[in-house]
Amino acid sequence: MIRALITDFGGVLMRTRTDRSRRALEARLGLTPLTLENRVFGGELSMQGQHGAISEEEFWQAVARELDVARIGLTAETFRTEFFADDFLDEDLMAFIRSVRPQYKTGLISNAWSGMRQLIHTTVPIADAFDALVISAEEKMMKPDPRIYQLALDRLNVRADDAIFLDDVQVNIEACNALGMHGVHFMSSEQAQRDI
């Protein structure tokens, strides 16, 4: 019996509406397309940040130095703001998640930097919609490590086969399925709600 719905954050609840601002930023910095996403989400510094080895502030300062954003008049903070300028919260999907409570427990598992908890309590105030928050930087482990899924299940006090997990990354879905959870691969808000 399904007793819990657990979701990812970035790429699911928070998505990028258009890549125009990132492409424009790359053009100003003389970088090839997708360099910024690769550096911010997939580089070694990002992995350190998402594992909690460095703070989010240290991460953005280091990336800003590496890319020399000061030469186009940006600070680490203004670079970060421009990078995320086209991101938006999927209010429809959030309303859906809120609607399943209290019949179902809700959780969030996010590969994220140390500032994630503050972000979802203040800037994007959605923390109240979840019974458990599992943030990689705080736990020192990342999806698809099975331990991070188990941690969320333990905090929700449900078994793996009682939980649905929603994520936009296929390897994360495969990992949750291997644990016995019911993975739903996010492709659109409508599809995700329908599949759930």
Side-chain angles (χ1 to χ4, degrees), residues 10-99:
V12 176
L13 300 178
M14 182 68 79
R15 300 194 303 279
T16 304
R17 196 177 310 278
T18 171
D19 66 354
R20 283 193 301 258
S21 64
R22 292 179 188 171
R23 301 296 76 85
L25 192 51
E26 283 167 341
R28 289 164 59 201
L29 289 165
L31 302 172
T32 57
L34 300 179
T35 298
L36 291 182
E37 284 97 329
N38 291 337
R39 189 70 60 88
V40 169
F41 298 127
E44 177 57 32
L45 281 170
S46 185
M47 294 302 105
Q48 289 178 30
Q50 292 177 69
H51 273 104
I54 60 173
S55 71
E56 184 165 356
E57 183 180 350
E58 289 170 322
F59 165 73
W60 286 106
Q61 291 289 344
V63 170
R65 279 193 306 273
E66 275 189 9
L67 298 175
D68 191 17
V69 302
R71 67 191 152 96
I72 61 166
L74 296 177
T75 63
E77 183 57 35
T78 55
F79 168 68
R80 181 183 183 278
T81 299
E82 285 199 29
F83 181 84
F84 288 119
D86 291 323
D87 280 18
F88 72 99
L89 179 68
D90 187 330
E91 299 286 359
D92 250 12
L93 190 51
M94 276 310 307
F96 175 77
I97 289 167
R98 290 180 188 280
S99 77

Side-chain angles (χ1 to χ4, degrees), residues 100-158:
V100 305
R101 300 177 81 205
Q103 183 177 358
Y104 301 96
K105 296 179 181 182
T106 56
L108 182 138
I109 304 174
S110 182
N111 286 352
W113 306 299
S114 60
M116 176 69 171
R117 187 171 294 271
Q118 181 180 350
L119 175 79
I120 60 177
H121 274 93
T122 56
T123 312
V124 184
I126 60 169
D128 64 300
F130 299 100
D131 299 301
L133 300 171
V134 178
I135 300 165
S136 67
E138 296 175 356
E139 309 301 341
K140 315 294 190 211
M141 63 180 91
M142 292 174 63
K143 296 173 292 181
D145 185 331
R147 294 176 302 161
I148 200 165
Y149 302 97
Q150 190 59 56
L151 187 58
L153 294 169
D154 292 347
R155 288 183 183 169
L156 291 169
N157 194 29
V158 296

